[in-house]
C-alpha cells in the first residue's frame, strides 16, 4: 500500500474570493538553464540525433500551438507560427547547430544557445524593421528547442476542467498560452495584491493565493489541492477530514450576489446626489464579456501589453489596429482608454534586443513611457494603430509612468506627428485625447503643470503605493509595508485629483484600490468621481457607493489626511464606516485583510 502523502498547508495572500478543490497543473516559466558539457567523439552522432529528435518534437508543438491559436484567436493571429516552422526547417540553422556539436564537441543545448545568440545579435542589428522584428521569433524557436531537449513537457494548453495553475509567477506571456476558461484557481510563489496574477484572477473571477514562497517546488502536476482564497491558504494533499469540510463548504449554494446576471448601465448617484462613473479595466479577452455583463461605463483602462505576449515587441500596425477596434466596439459610446505599452525588463524576456543585459532594478528602469520614447518605432506603430482604430469608435491614449512635463511633451509630439503623417497620406483616422497616468511621486508633485498639458488623468494607485512607499508591489517579503491607506498615498491622491479639478480635466482612479468598496468610498471622499476596476467588482462597489453620502465620505477623508500612520487611518476608517453605515460595513466586513490588502499574511 502506498503511503498517503501528508497534508501540507501554506499561507499566502488571498487576492480574490472563493474556494476551489482541484488538481495541480504546474506551469514553468519556460526558460531552461543551459550548461555546457563536452561530448566525447564516440557520442557525437547520438548527440546530433538527440538534436534532430528535439527539432521534430518542437515542430509538432509549434503545429499544435498554431492550431490552438487559430481556433482561439483567429487565423490572423496564427500566421506567426508559420515563421517558426520555417525556421525549424531551415537547414542553414540546423546545419550550424550540428556543426557546433561536431566541431566544438558541445552538447545540443549549448549548440542551440550559441547559434541562437549569434542569430539574435545579427537580427538585432538589422536596419529593416520587418527583419528586426524576427528577433522574438528566433527567441521563441530557440526556447522551444531547449524545452524539447530538456525533456520537459511543453506548457499546458488543454487544461482539464479542474486545473489549478501553480507557478512561480504568472507572466503575461504565459497567459496567452493558457485557456483560462478552464483554469479554476491560481497559486503562485510570488506576487501581492496588485501583482499581475492577482489582477488577472480577479478579472476572470477565480480564487487565487499568491506569495506562497516555495510552494511551486513542492507541488507536482496531478496533486490534489485546495485553494482557499478567503483564508489566504492552499492545502496540498488534503486529508479526508479536510476534504469533507471543504466539500461541504463548496457544496453550499452560492448566495445570490449582485454580481450575477446582466447589470444595468444605469446612473449611479451617492445618497446626496453626486454622480459616480464606474468603468472597466481589461487586459485579456476572457475579461471582455464582463464589460457589458456588469454594466461598466466603457473601458477606463486597456492594458495593451497582452497584445505582445507571444509575439514579441514588434506587433504589426494591422494586428494592433484590429485589437483596438475590438476594444472600441466593446466600450461603446462611453469609449475606451488605451494605455501605451507599459513594458520593461520585468515584462520582456531577458536577452531581447531591448534588454541585452538584465536590469538591476527593473521597476526603476527603462519602463513604460521611457521604454516607448527610447524605442520610438514601437511607440509610433502603436500610436498609428490607435489613431486608425479611433475612426471606428471612441478611443483615448494614456501615457504610463510619466514623471513630468517633458515626458508628456515628447509623447504628445509623437502622437501629433503620426496624426500629421496619416493625414498627409490620406488615411482615415481620428484625433484622440491624450492623458497621463499619475503613478509616480514626481508626477504627483508636478501634477498641476502636467494637468494643464493633458486631456485627462488616470491615477494608477498600484504603482503609486509602490513608488510612494518604495515597496515592491510583488515582493511578499515587504508586503507588511505595502499600505494602501498610508497617509502619504492619500495625500498624493488628493493632490492629483485637486490638480485635475483646477485644470478642468477628468480624472479616473484605475488602480486596484478602486475595486475594494471601503477604499472606493474613501476615494470619493478624496474627490474622485470616476473609478475604473476589474469588471466583476463593479456590482459590489456600485452597491456600496449608492448607499453612502459623498459629504460624509469627504469628512472622513479629511480626518484621514491628518493621520500620521496607515494604522491610524485604518482604525479611523473602520470606526467611522461601521458607525455611519453599519449595513454596508458591519464590523465583521472590515477586518484587517480586506482593509490593508497586501499587508495581511
Ligand atoms: C496601477 O499602477 O495602478 C495601474 C492601474 O496599472 P498596473 O497595475 O498595470 O501597473
Ligand atoms: Mg501602473
Amino acid at each position: 500500500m502506498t503511503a498517503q502523502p501528508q497534508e501540507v498547508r501554506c499561507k499566502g495572500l488571498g487576492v480574490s474570493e472563493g474556494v476551489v478543490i482541484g488538481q495541480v497543473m504546474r506551469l514553468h516559466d519556460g526558460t531552461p538553464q543551459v550548461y555546457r558539457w563536452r561530448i566525447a567523439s564516440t557520442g557525437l552522432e547520438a548527440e546530433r540525433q538527440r538534436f534532430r529528435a528535439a527539432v521534430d518534437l518542437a515542430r509538432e508543438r509549434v503545429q499544435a500551438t498554431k492550431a490552438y491559436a487559430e481556433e482561439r484567436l483567429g487565423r490572423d493571429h496564427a500566421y506567426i507560427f508559420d515563421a517558426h516552422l520555417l525556421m525549424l526547417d531551415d537547414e542553414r540553422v540546423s546545419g550550424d547547430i550540428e556543426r557546433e556539436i561536431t566541431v566544438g564537441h558541445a552538447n545540443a543545448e549549448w549548440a542551440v544557445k550559441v547559434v541562437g545568440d549569434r542569430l539574435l545579435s545579427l537580427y538585432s542589428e538589422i536596419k529593416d524593421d520587418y527583419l528586426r522584428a524576427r528577433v522574438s521569433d528566433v527567441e521563441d524557436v530557440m526556447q522551444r528547442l531547449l524545452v524539447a531537449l530538456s525533456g520537459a513537457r511543453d506548457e499546458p494548453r488543454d487544461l482539464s476542467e479542474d486545473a489549478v495553475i501553480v507557478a512561480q509567477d504568472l507572466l503575461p506571456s504565459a497567459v496567452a498560452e493558457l485557456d483560462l476558461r478552464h483554469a479554476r484557481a491560481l497559486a503562485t510563489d510570488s506576487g501581492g495584491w496588485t501583482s499581475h496574477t492577482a489582477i488577472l484572477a480577479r478579472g476572470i473571477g477565480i480564487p487565487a493565493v499568491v506569495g506562497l514562497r516555495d510552494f511551486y517546488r513542492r507541488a507536482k502536476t496531478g496533486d490534489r489541492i485546495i485553494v482557499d482564497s478567503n483564508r489566504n491558504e492552499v492545502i496540498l494533499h488534503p486529508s479526508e477530514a479536510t476534504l469533507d469540510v471543504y466539500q461541504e463548504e463548496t457544496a453550499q449554494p452560492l448566495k445570490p450576489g449582485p454580481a450575477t446576471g446582466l447589470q444595468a448601465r444605469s446612473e449611479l448617484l451617492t445618497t446626496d446626489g453626486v454622480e459616480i462613473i464606474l468603468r472597466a479595466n481589461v487586459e485579456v479577452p476572457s475579461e471582455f464579456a464582463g464589460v457589458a455583463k456588469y454594466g461598466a461605463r466603457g473601458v477606463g483602462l486597456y492594458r495593451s501589453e497582452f497584445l505582445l505576449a507571444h509575439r514579441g515587441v514588434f506587433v504589426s500596425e494591422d494586428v494592433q489596429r484590429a485589437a483596438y477596434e475590438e476594444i472600441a466596439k466593446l466600450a461603446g459610446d462611453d469609449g475606451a482608454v488605451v494605455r501605451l505599452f507599459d513594458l520593461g525588463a520585468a515584462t520582456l524576456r531577458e536577452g531581447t534586443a531591448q534588454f541585452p543585459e538584465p536590469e538591476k532594478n527593473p521597476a526603476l528602469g527603462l519602463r513604460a513611457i521611457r521604454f516607448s520614447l527610447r524605442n520610438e518605432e514601437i511607440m509610433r506603430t502603436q500610436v498609428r494603430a490607435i489613431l486608425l482604430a479611433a475612426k471606428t469608435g471612441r478611443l483615448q491614449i494614456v501615457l504610463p509612468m510619466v514623471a513630468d512635463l517633458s515626458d508628456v511633451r515628447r509623447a504628445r509630439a509623437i502622437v501629433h506627428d503620426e496624426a500629421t503623417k496619416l493625414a498627409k497620406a490620406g488615411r482615415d483616422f481620428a484625433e484622440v485625447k491624450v492623458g497621463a497616468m499619475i503613478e509616480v511621486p514626481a508626477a504627483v508633485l508636478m501634477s498641476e503643470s502636467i494637468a494643464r498639458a493633458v486631456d485627462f488623468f488616470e491615477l494608477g494607485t498600484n504603482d503609486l503605493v509602490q513608488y510612494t512607499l518604495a515597496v515592491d508591489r510583488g515582493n511578499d517579503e515587504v508586503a507588511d509595508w505595502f499600505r494602501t491607506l498610508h497617509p502619504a498615498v492619500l495625500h498624493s491622491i488628493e493632490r492629483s485629483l485637486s490638480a485635475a479639478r483646477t485644470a478642468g480635466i477628468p480624472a479616473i482612479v484605475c488602480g486596484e484600490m478602486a475595486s475594494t468598496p471601503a477604499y472606493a468610498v474613501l476615494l470619493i471622499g478624496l474627490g474622485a468621481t470616476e473609478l475604473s476596476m476589474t469588471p466583476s467588482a463593479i456590482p459590489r462597489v456600485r452597491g456600496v457607493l449608492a448607499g453612502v453620502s459623498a459629504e460624509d465620505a469627504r469628512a472622513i477623508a479629511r480626518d484621514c489626511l491628518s493621520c500620521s500612520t496607515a494604522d491610524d487611518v485604518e482604525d479611523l476608517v473602520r470606526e467611522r464606516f461601521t458607525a455611519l453605515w453599519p449595513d454596508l460595513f458591519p464590523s465583521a466586513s472590515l477586518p484587517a485583510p480586506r482593509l490593508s490588502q497586501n499587508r495581511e499574511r
Side-chain angles (χ1 to χ4, degrees):
M1 208 175 83
T2 49
Q4 185 65 17
Q6 277 276 311
E7 175 174 301
V8 178
R9 286 176 181 250
C10 287
K11 278 280 180 199
L13 176 73
V15 289
S16 56
E17 288 182 10
V19 177
V20 153
I21 306 173
Q23 277 189 330
V24 169
M25 171 65 84
R26 233 163 152 257
L27 190 73
H28 73 88
D29 74 1
T31 327
Q33 290 281 357
V34 178
Y35 301 98
R36 189 188 205 294
W37 67 87
R38 190 183 160 76
I39 306 291
S41 301
T42 49
L44 288 175
E45 181 49 30
E47 195 62 7
R48 285 190 294 265
Q49 301 269 5
R50 195 165 77 84
F51 165 66
R52 282 173 215 147
V55 174
D56 290 343
L57 186 57
R59 191 183 298 111
E60 259 172 47
R61 287 173 173 175
V62 175
Q63 269 154 353
T65 306
K66 185 181 166 211
Y68 179 77
E70 246 166 24
E71 184 192 307
R72 225 180 126 211
L73 307 166
R75 255 169 213 283
D76 290 352
H77 296 265
Y79 74 96
I80 195 95
F81 299 109
D82 288 329
H84 293 194
L85 289 170
L86 279 176
M87 213 176 295
L88 281 171
D89 289 333
D90 187 332
E91 285 175 6
R92 277 166 309 175
V93 177
S94 51
D96 281 353
I97 295 174
E98 292 200 21
R99 219 172 349 271
E100 199 63 41
I101 296 173
T102 312
V103 179
H105 285 251
N107 51 314
E109 288 85 349
W110 190 255
V112 166
K113 184 172 157 39
V114 168
V115 173
D117 286 351
R118 216 181 284 149
L119 271 178
L120 284 174
S121 70
L122 274 177
Y123 273 84
S124 56
E125 280 163 17
I126 294 176
K127 291 274 176 288
D128 181 280
D129 285 351
Y130 177 79
L131 285 177
R132 208 173 48 228
R134 305 276 66 82
V135 163
S136 57
D137 296 332
V138 176
E139 281 179 330
D140 230 317
V141 170
M142 295 305 149
Q143 177 148 326
R144 287 240 184 226
L145 282 173
L146 290 175
V147 172
L149 281 166
S150 74
R153 284 187 42 159
D154 219 5
E155 290 173 353
R157 286 176 199 94
D158 296 321
L159 300 178
S160 71
E161 283 294 328
D162 68 349
V164 169
I165 307 295
V166 176
Q168 282 164 314
D169 194 5
L170 203 53
L171 293 175
S173 54
V175 173
E177 290 265 314
L178 281 174
D179 184 352
L180 285 166
R181 282 169 308 179
H182 293 315
R184 298 272 317 280
L186 306 175
T188 58
D189 281 3
S190 60
W193 179 266
T194 56
S195 64
H196 192 264
T197 310
I199 294 173
L200 193 72
R202 289 191 292 271
I204 52 180
I206 56 175
V209 180
V210 303
L212 288 162
R213 291 155 198 254
D214 71 341
F215 184 71
Y216 175 78
R217 191 179 51 80
R218 297 170 175 213
K220 301 277 167 291
T221 294
D223 283 352
R224 181 73 71 97
I225 185 175
I226 297 173
V227 177
D228 185 345
S229 207
N230 304 342
R231 296 186 186 85
N232 303 307
E233 192 169 55
V234 297
I235 307 168
L236 195 62
H237 313 304
S239 67
E240 287 305 320
T242 304
L243 275 173
D244 283 350
V245 171
Y246 272 95
Q247 259 146 5
E248 200 171 311
E249 196 171 301
T250 50
Q252 301 286 336
L254 290 172
K255 277 192 235 122
T260 53
L262 206 64
Q263 305 284 310
R265 244 175 90 264
S266 57
E267 194 176 53
L268 166 62
L269 298 176
T270 59
T271 55
D272 51 350
V274 175
E275 188 184 2
I276 310 293
I277 294 173
L278 303 184
R279 305 188 193 279
N281 292 348
V282 293
E283 179 175 7
V284 297
S286 36
E287 292 173 308
F288 292 178
V291 177
K293 182 174 175 196
Y294 300 116
R297 298 273 304 271
V299 171
L301 174 69
Y302 173 52
R303 292 180 163 99
S304 59
E305 303 78 51
F306 176 73
L307 284 174
L308 308 182
H310 227 21
R311 303 188 185 99
V313 285
F314 295 94
V315 180
S316 74
E317 181 186 296
D318 288 348
V319 169
Q320 289 195 53
R321 177 185 175 168
Y324 304 140
E325 282 177 359
E326 188 184 356
I327 295 296
K329 193 159 159 220
L330 181 74
D333 292 345
D334 289 304
V337 181
V338 178
R339 180 173 69 185
L340 292 193
F341 297 136
D342 190 349
L343 289 174
T347 27
L348 286 174
R349 273 168 289 166
E350 269 173 27
T352 50
Q354 290 73 27
F355 294 101
E357 300 292 331
E359 281 190 337
K360 284 213 176 70
N361 200 343
L364 304 184
L366 190 64
R367 247 198 84 169
I369 196 66
R370 305 167 190 172
F371 177 88
S372 292
L373 291 172
R374 175 67 62 82
N375 296 278
E376 220 178 284
E377 263 324 297
I378 297 174
M379 176 171 174
R380 284 182 181 272
T381 308
Q382 184 174 30
V383 167
R384 242 181 355 260
I386 298 170
L387 292 170
L388 290 165
K391 192 68 200 166
T392 65
R394 266 199 74 205
L395 290 177
Q396 301 183 319
I397 287 178
V398 72
L399 314 170
M401 257 189 87
V402 296
D404 59 26
L405 214 49
S406 74
D407 285 341
V408 172
R409 282 189 184 135
R410 289 178 64 191
R412 289 206 81 148
I414 290 173
V415 175
H416 179 72
D417 192 38
E418 284 306 317
T420 312
K421 283 190 196 154
L422 287 175
K424 269 201 193 130
R427 297 185 70 185
D428 220 5
F429 75 101
E431 299 276 357
V432 298
K433 292 193 165 156
V434 177
M437 292 286 298
I438 303 295
E439 52 185 346
V440 299
V444 173
L445 295 172
M446 302 310 292
S447 54
E448 292 78 13
S449 69
I450 297 177
R452 289 192 292 272
V454 294
D455 300 310
F456 63 97
F457 270 2
E458 289 224 31
L459 273 62
T461 54
N462 306 334
D463 278 318
L464 194 56
V465 177
Q466 155 163 277
Y467 292 120
T468 302
L469 305 178
V471 178
D472 181 346
R473 63 194 256 192
N475 180 352
D476 53 299
E477 290 294 338
V478 289
D480 284 352
W481 284 270
F482 192 96
R483 305 293 293 270
T484 303
L485 294 194
H486 195 291
V489 174
L490 302 187
H491 277 286
S492 301
I493 294 172
E494 198 269 337
R495 176 158 177 181
S496 314
L497 291 173
S498 130
R501 226 178 7 258
T502 308
I505 58 166
I508 307 172
V509 183
C510 65
E512 290 305 289
M513 206 177 163
S515 64
T516 308
Y519 291 174
V521 174
L522 211 54
L523 288 170
I524 302 307
L526 290 166
T529 53
E530 295 192 37
L531 307 178
S532 192
M533 63 201 71
T534 184
S536 59
I538 290 178
R540 198 165 317 131
V541 172
R542 164 185 283 275
V544 167
L545 293 183
V548 302
S549 97
E551 198 182 326
D552 286 338
R554 278 196 289 270
I556 298 173
R558 254 195 314 275
D559 291 344
C560 289
L561 288 170
S562 5
C563 288
S564 303
T565 67
D567 282 338
D568 290 350
V569 175
E570 287 181 11
D571 288 346
L572 191 142
V573 166
R574 198 173 296 115
E575 188 189 307
R576 301 280 287 278
F577 278 29
T578 46
L580 261 177
W581 304 299
D583 293 344
L584 296 173
F585 298 104
S587 51
S589 79
L590 281 175
R594 288 284 159 249
L595 261 181
S596 53
Q597 296 187 336
N598 220 6
R599 186 178 155 226
E600 187 68 13
R601 294 209 44 80

